[in-house]
Each structure stands twice: as C-alpha cells, then as structure tokens.
C-alpha cells in the first residue's frame, strides 16, 4: 500500500504530461497558456509537464512569427526538428523503413524499400544498418521504431507464431531483438492492427470507433474495431480470414494447408495468376504500370480474384456487422471500376440488412503509417505506463 501511495504524485504528473501531448497532437502548435486552457490544467502544472517532456525530447519550444502586438510568442509543438520515430514494415516481397517527426507527418523522401532478406539474421542486419544511417542525421534524436508484422503474432510473448508470407520471422521476437541491437523502444503491431491505426490517424476512420479493415494485399487479414476496442481473440490471433479453407484441390498456402482464401483473393493471388499466364514473374506494381500503359490486359484474372474477394467482404459483413468496412488492396489501382463491381457482388451475396447498414470504402492508410501511429501511441502511453503493449483506446 505504501508504494501505491508514494507513486500517486508520479502517476498524476504522467497523466498531465499525456494531456499536454494529446492537446498538441489534436490542436497543433500552441502556447503554454493555450495548452493550459485546452487541457484544463493550471499554468504551473503545464510548466512542470512541459519541462519534463522537453527533457525527454518529445516536445520543442520555438519562436512563432510575431503576434498582432508585435511580440514574438513562444510556442510548443511535438518535436519535428530535434527528434524522429521510425516505421518499419515487414512484408513480402519487399520491406520498407520510413521516418517522421513526432507530429506523425510521414517524410516520403525518407521511405526506403528493400527486398525481404532470405534469413532472419540478414533481416536484423539490414534493418540495423538502415536505422543507423537514419540516426546519423545530425541533431536528430530517434525515440523508437514501430513495426508492422504479417502473420500470427502473440502480443503477450512478443513472438511471431506463424508468418505464411514471411516465414523467416517464424518463432522470432523481432521487436525484442531489434530493441536490444538498436537500444531503442521497438513496438510490434500485427499488420491488420497497423492498418486499423493508420486509417484512424491518417485515413477515413478519424473519430470512427466501429469499423472493420480487410487487408487483401500480400495475404488476407482482418482487423475489427468495436466500440474503440480491437477484437483480438483469446490469444490475439483473431482475424485470420485469409486462411479459411476454400478449395481442397487448390494450391499450397504458406500456412501449410491448401486452397486458403488468400491464395485466391489477394494482390499476391492476382500477381501469381497473371505471372503464370504471361510466363514471367511480375509484381503488383509492374502489373499496374503495364495495364495503365495498355500493354497488358488482366480482366480475366481480376474477375476471378474479385469473385473470391467478395466472399471475404460478405463473411466480414455477415459476421461482424461493421458500420464501415475498409478494404486495403492495390488491385483497385488496376481498374477504376473494380471497386464498384466488388460492392455489387458483395450486395448480391450478403445478408441484406447487414449490407445496407455497412458503408464499404477503400482504405487510405498504409502499413508504414500504421507502424508510425503505433510507436507514437506507445510513446504517449509510456508517459503513464512503461508497458510495451499498445492501446487503441489511447489514440
Ligand atoms: Zn493458409
């Protein structure tokens, strides 16, 4: 009991620091007086919280342009000149790393794509090199790395259980391994969760607390947010819609079974079908470029993939009755009418009342934005708790 009482003032300070961060996050650069008003805390409390946040590198104070009375005003903002965070996406066939300030605005010029390494050790080496390069930028302090991971991920153990598309991470603890090598906070999010966060921070789900995110890019995964809570299942493994068995005579899936939905309905399924027909390996970017240049017609393959993808939408709508269903996939860049046709097919198969109450939209957020949102949420959260878990509720 004694330790609980003695920790209360500290907890209160941390809660105030979090309030200051949240005000600057939602209102942008503000003076101390504005922060005091918006956070509804006294000036001395703001000063104390700000001084601790400046020391930890999360905030910057700067001279804003002169105000109407001709006096320069000191303003506070989330650190953008003196600190950065990194977002890492583990995926196939490529991974990527990107940096942002603590305002979360992605610096697209820093986006670095690299081929997914063949071994886990090579992956650690490559990421360590790229992070070191990024950290060597003069005067910039790196506060952490958010990581988007595909496959089944056990949050409590920080362990990748099974990654059908990036098997080098199977049975590995990438967050802990990178954290040890880099000496930085590294926070892992399963990629469907990363896309949910991305949509909430950068996309169309700002302020929406009930939606589903169907990712049909490399594999197929599902994130479901109900009343701001992410549905995770007893072991955090919920949402693996991509491994519904569809075709007993189908092709082998990375999960070890045969004919799973993701072998039929993802960007990867489309690239495989097209590559087989044209007799050479094409990735989704190449297919988009060739179709747009009128050098390739993939209507038949798109039709087959969209038919199966509609099944994934119907399953999601019938099972979870989401207010909004976001679909994340690059195949919509191939044909501007594909999304509309997908919705029509979904309507024909879904339960009518569930379909009518569901808005279906193309996701805007990306996995790297989700990785960034994850580390930013962690930094804000860790002002209150030093746990390595992430919480959508805090966003
Ligand atoms: Zn499978």
């Amino acid at each position: 009991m004694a330790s609980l009482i003695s920790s209360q003032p500290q907890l209160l300070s941390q809660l105030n620091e979090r309030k200051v961060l949240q005000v600057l996050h939602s209102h942008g650069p503000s003076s101390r007086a504005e922060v005091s008003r918006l956070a509804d805390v006294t000036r001395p409390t703001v000063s104390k919280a700000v001084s601790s946040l400046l020391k930890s590198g999360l905030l910057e104070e700067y001279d804003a342009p002169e105000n109407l009375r001709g006096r320069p005003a000191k303003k506070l903002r989330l650190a953008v000149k003196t600190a950065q965070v990194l977002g890492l996406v583990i995926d196939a066939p490529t991974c990527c790393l990107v940096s942002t300030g603590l305002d979360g605005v992605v610096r697209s010029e820093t986006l670095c794509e690299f081929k997914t390494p063949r071994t886990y050790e090579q992956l650690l080496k490559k990421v360590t090199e790229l992070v070191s390069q990024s950290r060597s930028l003069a005067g910039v302090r790196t506060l952490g790395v958010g990581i988007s991971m595909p496959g089944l991920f056990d949050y409590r153990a920080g362990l990748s259980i099974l990654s059908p598309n990036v098997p080098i991470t199977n049975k590995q603890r990438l967050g802990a391994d990178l954290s040890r090598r880099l000496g930085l906070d590294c926070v892992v999010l399963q990629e469907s969760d990363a896309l949910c966060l991305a949509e909430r921070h950068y996309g169309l789900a700002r302020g929406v607390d009930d939606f589903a995110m169907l990712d049909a890019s490399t594999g197929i995964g599902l994130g479901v947010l109900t009343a701001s809570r992410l549905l995770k299942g007893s072991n955090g493994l919920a949402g693996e819609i991509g491994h519904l068995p569809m075709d007993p005579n189908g092709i082998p899936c990375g999960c070890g079974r045969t004919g799973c939905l993701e072998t039929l309905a993802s960007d990867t399924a489309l690239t495989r079908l097209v590559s087989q027909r044209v007799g050479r390996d094409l990735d989704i970017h190449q297919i988009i470029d060739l179709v747009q240049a009128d050098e390739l017609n993939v209507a038949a393959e798109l039709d087959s993939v969209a038919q199966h993808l509609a099944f994934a939408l119907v399953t999601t709508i019938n099972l979870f009755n989401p207010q909004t269903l976001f679909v994340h996939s690059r195949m919509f860049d191939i044909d501007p009418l594909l999304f509309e046709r997908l919705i029509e097919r979904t309507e024909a198969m879904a339960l009518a009342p569930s379909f009518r109450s569901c808005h279906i939209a193309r996701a805007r957020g990306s996995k790297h934005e989700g990785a960034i949102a994850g580390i930013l949420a962690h930094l804000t959260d860790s002002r209150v708790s030093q746990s390595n878990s992430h919480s959508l509720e805090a966003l």
Side-chain angles (χ1 to χ4, degrees):
M1 182 56 88
S3 67
L4 184 66
I5 291 168
S6 65
S7 71
Q8 276 179 344
Q10 195 193 357
L11 179 63
L12 198 61
S13 299
Q14 289 164 342
L15 285 168
N16 286 326
E17 289 170 16
R18 186 161 138 178
K19 272 189 189 173
V20 171
L21 289 173
Q22 282 169 340
V23 162
L24 293 173
H25 179 69
S26 30
H27 295 270
S30 310
S31 68
R32 289 177 188 235
E34 286 162 344
V35 172
S36 165
R37 183 171 53 79
L38 292 164
D40 196 22
V41 288
T42 64
R43 283 291 291 275
T45 303
V46 167
S47 286
K48 192 171 165 225
V50 164
S51 124
S52 161
L53 290 167
L54 286 168
K55 211 161 126 196
S56 64
L58 292 169
L59 292 192
E60 290 167 0
E61 197 158 34
Y62 69 106
D63 287 321
E66 292 187 355
N67 61 22
L68 289 175
R69 279 168 289 181
R71 267 185 277 161
K74 287 239 180 263
K75 290 226 174 187
L76 296 161
R77 68 182 170 204
L78 297 170
V80 287
K81 287 242 158 71
T82 53
Q84 67 172 4
V85 291
L86 301 170
L88 172 67
V89 177
I90 304 300
D91 211 338
T94 56
C95 302
C96 81
L97 184 77
V98 71
S99 76
T100 77
L102 270 68
D103 58 353
V105 176
V106 174
R107 297 165 180 160
S108 46
E109 73 280 7
T110 68
L111 198 141
C112 169
E113 268 197 333
F114 58 98
K115 203 169 170 318
T116 308
R118 295 162 75 90
T119 68
Y120 184 67
E121 196 50 43
Q122 284 168 358
L123 174 69
L124 289 178
K125 192 163 168 264
K126 181 72 185 171
V127 173
T128 307
E129 271 169 28
L130 290 173
V131 171
S132 304
Q133 277 169 23
S134 178
R135 289 175 88 173
S136 67
L137 290 171
V140 172
R141 189 167 160 192
T142 301
L143 298 180
V145 186
I147 305 167
S148 164
M149 283 288 284
L152 301 180
F153 184 76
D154 181 339
Y155 279 103
R156 272 174 296 185
L159 177 77
S160 286
I161 298 171
L162 172 69
S163 183
N165 297 303
V166 189
I168 58 166
T169 58
N170 287 351
K171 308 275 180 278
Q172 303 290 355
R173 290 179 166 81
L174 183 62
D177 290 342
L178 281 177
S179 186
R180 205 167 33 247
R181 285 193 179 210
L182 302 169
L184 289 172
D185 275 7
C186 294
V187 176
V188 176
L189 293 102
Q190 202 282 338
E191 63 184 5
S192 298
D193 299 350
L195 284 170
C196 285
L197 277 189
E199 209 59 35
R200 250 191 152 195
H201 278 256
Y202 298 92
L204 302 171
R206 287 166 205 248
V208 179
D209 58 10
D210 185 291
F211 67 88
M213 170 67 67
L214 185 66
D215 173 24
S217 50
T218 309
I220 296 192
L222 179 69
V224 177
L225 199 81
T226 302
S228 291
R229 295 189 77 86
L230 201 57
L231 203 72
K232 288 189 166 174
S234 59
N235 289 332
L237 308 182
E240 289 298 328
I241 189 172
H243 299 284
L244 288 181
M246 300 294 290
D247 180 1
N249 302 313
I251 65 161
C253 177
C255 74
R257 299 188 185 277
T258 299
C260 291
L261 183 60
E262 73 175 34
T263 66
L264 300 165
S266 56
D267 287 347
T268 306
L270 181 76
T271 58
R272 193 192 66 252
L273 289 173
V274 174
S275 298
Q276 272 169 2
R277 176 166 60 85
V278 301
R280 64 188 165 115
D281 277 343
L282 294 171
D283 64 27
I284 189 75
H285 307 280
Q286 292 166 320
I287 292 175
I288 293 167
D289 290 347
L290 287 168
V291 171
Q292 283 172 354
D294 255 344
E295 289 172 26
L296 184 67
N297 183 327
V298 297
E301 289 85 2
L302 263 187
D303 193 60
S304 155
V305 169
Q307 182 63 35
H308 289 105
L309 185 54
F311 175 80
L313 270 74
V314 170
T315 306
T316 305
I317 290 171
N318 286 6
L319 287 184
F320 298 106
N321 181 215
Q323 200 177 70
T324 304
L325 168 56
F326 294 102
V327 188
H328 178 261
S329 169
R330 292 297 310 274
M331 71 180 88
F332 305 126
D333 291 336
I334 297 173
D335 176 353
L337 298 177
L338 176 66
F339 196 71
E340 235 171 83
R341 293 204 301 276
L342 180 67
I343 293 177
E344 280 165 15
R345 280 183 166 164
T346 303
E347 183 174 17
M349 294 192 287
L351 281 171
S354 313
F355 176 84
R356 274 200 299 274
S357 61
C358 179
H359 172 61
I360 304 174
R362 189 173 171 187
R364 295 264 177 89
S366 63
K367 290 174 191 173
H368 66 258
E369 288 171 339
I372 292 288
I375 184 64
L376 290 175
H378 169 76
L379 292 174
T380 306
D381 267 1
S382 62
R383 305 309 298 173
V384 177
S385 152
Q386 294 299 324
S387 84
N388 193 36
S389 66
H390 76 284
S391 152
L392 277 158
E393 290 80 357
L395 298 171

